[in-house]
Amino acid sequence: MSIYAPASDRYDSMEYRRVGNSGLKLPAISLGLWQNFGDDRPLATQRDILRAAYDRGITHFDLANNYGPEPGAAEDNFGRIFARDFRPFRDEMIISSKAGWVMNDSPYGFGGSRKYLVSSLDASLKRMGLDYVDIFYHHRPDPDTPLEETLYALRDIVASGKALYVGISSYGPELTAEAVEFMEDEGCPLLIHQPSYSILNRWIERPGEDGESLLDVTARSGLGVIGFGPLAQGMLTDRYIDGIPADSRAAKNKTLEKDWLNEENLSMIRSLNDIAGKRGQSLAQMAISWVLRDQGDRTLTSALLGASSVEQLEHNLGALDHLDFSADELAAIDDAAHDAGINRWAGATASRVRGN
């Protein structure tokens, strides 16, 4: 394997956006390792994707303790590649991890307890061969742990130097507002929220019990937002327009349920594909552009994408060439599509609406 030398012009074509009120910037497109980086994929393919991403200015790589298969495998594999290719460039990279979802069957492998969060981050750092992560998230609300315990743990993780910033994922607007206030009082502001978001999954735009949407709360509180699932687990691509391929996620019920590809949703997808074609984009490119569109102070910091190949990554990065939408295009998208009932993380969000 040749020695990796990153592209000298890697920062020239990427847009970098400030994360909320912080001084940190993230690329408009970040690479997520939820899928395609476990032990079911060749390490050489994973290395090619990571190298291509960094060569195109993607400086942010997002992981979690349980990404695989098996849980921990994505961090293990990333660590191997990092040691060989990226260690000299550590100060030019943003690496994040998370804990909250199921990591193991023990009483300490799920939730938001201090025990779970601290021990999980220690294990993640060991797997990746890192001294610290740039961002550490609580991955989901936990109805069985006091919110204060979770947030004190995040505060102390920053104080320990094992994470530079902390964030939350899949918290609803009310819980987010409470967490923000608590952490500000502790002198350790939350940096960022990572929710699911796509043309077919718009829960972060809807008002909660207190009348504010999640995007309202994050904008008011100075949090960045990095949206995952902008392609709706592959629904917002041309892959399913003519049916369900035998080798697809939907055929295997892998993160994309067959029931989601009902005729109503497929009709929306086909209409959106027509709109994308008129814009000179693929459906996937338009879906990414839409997530990153200008929404004033509610504009997202970054779109979090996976990639199964260098070709797919390069194609999706083409979305950055056309981020502008006319009022007519936005209206056409709203007319063509509505929330499709595909938010598989809604139960986690609803499991805890408030801290008390």
Side-chain angles (χ1 to χ4, degrees):
M1 180 64 65
S2 61
I3 296 175
Y4 172 59
S8 59
D9 62 349
R10 59 188 178 276
Y11 302 126
D12 293 351
S13 59
M14 177 58 68
E15 175 186 350
Y16 297 92
R17 298 182 174 189
R18 186 178 172 206
V19 187
N21 289 340
S22 78
L24 186 68
K25 293 181 179 180
L26 292 183
I29 290 178
S30 300
L31 184 66
L33 279 69
W34 176 30
Q35 305 287 331
N36 306 309
F37 290 86
D39 288 340
D40 57 341
R41 298 297 179 99
L43 193 66
T45 301
Q46 298 179 35
R47 175 180 283 117
D48 288 345
I49 294 169
L50 290 169
R51 285 182 171 188
Y54 194 60
D55 283 345
R56 287 293 304 272
I58 294 179
T59 53
H60 179 211
F61 301 90
D62 181 80
L63 299 101
N65 60 350
N66 64 343
Y67 288 175
E70 297 292 324
E75 289 183 331
D76 270 331
N77 291 332
F78 178 81
R80 294 188 184 100
I81 298 167
F82 173 85
R84 183 179 183 96
D85 290 344
F86 297 112
R87 190 171 297 280
F89 314 104
R90 175 65 182 96
D91 292 344
E92 301 178 46
M93 300 175 72
I94 303 296
I95 301 170
S96 59
S97 191
K98 318 177 198 72
W101 286 99
V102 175
M103 180 62 181
N104 57 58
D105 294 333
S106 79
Y108 320 110
F110 175 84
S113 70
R114 176 184 290 269
K115 164 67 174 175
Y116 179 35
L117 297 183
V118 173
S119 61
S120 176
L121 178 54
D122 284 344
S124 291
L125 292 174
K126 184 176 181 179
R127 282 190 290 269
M128 292 187 286
L130 302 175
D131 297 323
Y132 69 94
V133 292
D134 297 275
I135 306 169
F136 183 68
Y137 293 88
H138 185 217
H139 208 169
R140 53 152 295 162
D142 177 15
D144 297 326
T145 300
L147 181 63
E148 293 84 353
E149 178 178 345
T150 299
L151 298 178
Y152 278 136
L154 295 181
R155 177 201 66 184
D156 293 346
I157 282 168
V158 172
S160 74
K162 294 177 181 179
L164 302 185
Y165 303 92
V166 285
I168 52 179
S169 180
S170 295
Y171 279 44
E174 292 78 20
L175 197 63
T176 297
E178 289 189 39
V180 166
E181 182 177 1
F182 184 95
M183 292 294 276
E184 286 180 349
D185 290 343
E186 292 299 315
C188 181
L190 291 174
L191 173 78
I192 194 167
H193 193 301
Q194 186 177 128
S196 59
Y197 187 46
S198 73
I199 293 174
L200 300 179
N201 176 17
R202 306 190 188 192
W203 73 275
I204 65 175
E205 299 177 356
R206 295 194 297 269
E209 292 181 358
D210 293 344
E212 284 189 301
S213 70
L214 179 61
L215 286 179
D216 292 332
V217 172
T218 54
R220 172 173 58 80
S221 305
L223 265 68
V225 178
I226 178 169
F228 72 88
L231 301 182
Q233 289 68 67
M235 291 176 67
L236 290 172
T237 69
D238 59 8
R239 189 156 175 74
Y240 299 103
I241 290 175
D242 297 320
I244 302 177
D247 62 344
S248 66
R249 288 188 192 181
K252 300 173 183 176
N253 274 323
K254 184 180 180 182
T255 74
L256 173 55
E257 300 176 20
K258 284 184 179 180
D259 292 347
W260 293 351
L261 293 167
N262 54 55
E263 190 50 44
E264 180 181 4
N265 286 350
L266 286 172
S267 178
M268 290 193 292
I269 291 167
R270 293 180 186 116
S271 296
L272 291 169
N273 188 59
D274 291 341
I275 297 170
K278 294 175 183 177
R279 282 173 50 84
Q281 291 183 303
S282 70
L283 176 54
Q285 288 171 336
M286 185 182 78
I288 297 164
S289 298
W290 183 89
V291 165
L292 292 170
R293 73 196 185 280
D294 184 3
Q295 298 189 70
D297 59 1
R298 293 158 37 117
T299 301
L300 265 63
T301 309
S302 186
L304 185 58
L305 298 176
S308 60
S309 67
V310 171
E311 292 74 23
Q312 184 186 64
L313 174 69
E314 293 283 355
H315 177 80
N316 289 341
L317 282 168
L320 298 176
D321 297 332
H322 193 1
L323 296 179
D324 294 334
F325 287 83
S326 70
D328 287 344
E329 287 172 334
L330 291 174
I333 289 170
D334 287 343
D335 287 343
H338 55 76
D339 197 287
I342 61 169
N343 183 7
R344 62 186 300 135
W345 303 272
T349 301
S351 71
R352 183 165 209 156
V353 176
R354 302 182 186 276
N356 300 318

